[in-house]
Amino acid sequence: MSTLLINEAPLMIVPSLAVEIGLNEAVVLQQIHYWLTMSKHKIEGKKWVYNTYEDWQKQFPFWSISTIRRTFYSLEKSGIVISANWNALQLDKTKWYTINYGQLLKIEKRCEPSTAQSEPAEVSDQTRAGR
């Protein structure tokens, strides 16, 4: 058995989300959502998580800091992720993040397949023979 195949907690995404917002963005968004489900930090009625880009890189060791920064910026610019500084000391520039689930719902509606697309494609005998 290979040690490269799911012997640790995997990062999972929904493919249609990755198509809509980008692969990196979908991975980061899923990870933020995961941490929000466990967060005890509730501010202004929303749960928040915080990390520096260096701390995020520990969760995404396959990306550079600049890729992580660009990905978060993309999510913030799209309005899917909201960032703020809720630190006690204003000198602390650690960013806090939450998800704008309303904005995500709009994207979800765009992802919904039409009835024709949701039916499985039939595989002909010719296609089967070619496999």
Side-chain angles (χ1 to χ4, degrees):
M1 183 189 284
S2 174
T3 60
L4 296 177
L5 297 173
I6 316 286
N7 291 327
E8 57 187 280
L11 293 171
M12 297 173 54
I13 59 161
V14 174
S16 55
L17 178 63
V19 168
E20 284 294 317
I21 68 172
L23 178 61
N24 292 2
E25 287 79 359
V27 171
V28 168
L29 187 63
Q30 183 62 53
Q31 195 68 356
I32 293 170
H33 174 71
Y34 168 78
W35 287 115
L36 285 173
T37 63
M38 297 191 298
S39 177
K40 305 283 188 237
H41 304 286
K42 197 165 189 176
I43 304 167
E44 295 184 352
K46 296 178 184 158
K47 286 187 173 184
W48 294 79
V49 295
Y50 61 90
N51 262 328
T52 63
Y53 293 125
E54 291 77 14
D55 289 333
W56 284 115
Q57 191 183 39
K58 292 173 187 168
Q59 295 178 54
F60 309 120
F62 39 84
W63 288 333
S64 67
I65 298 287
S66 60
T67 297
I68 294 167
R69 187 179 289 118
R70 233 182 356 262
T71 303
F72 271 90
Y73 177 74
S74 173
L75 287 166
E76 291 172 65
K77 187 176 172 188
S78 71
I80 299 168
V81 168
I82 300 166
S83 66
N85 182 338
W86 299 112
N87 301 307
L89 297 172
Q90 287 302 311
L91 293 173
D92 184 351
K93 298 300 181 194
T94 303
K95 288 176 88 173
W96 292 61
Y97 303 93
T98 193
I99 295 175
N100 180 345
Y101 288 99
Q103 185 69 14
L104 194 57
L105 185 59
K106 291 176 187 175
I107 291 169
E108 183 179 344
K109 289 180 192 270
R110 290 195 320 240
C111 292
E112 289 177 358
S114 68
T115 308
Q117 292 174 332
S118 63
E119 295 175 9
E122 289 190 29
V123 179
S124 68
D125 289 335
Q126 253 184 341
T127 305
R128 283 190 194 101
R131 288 186 185 177

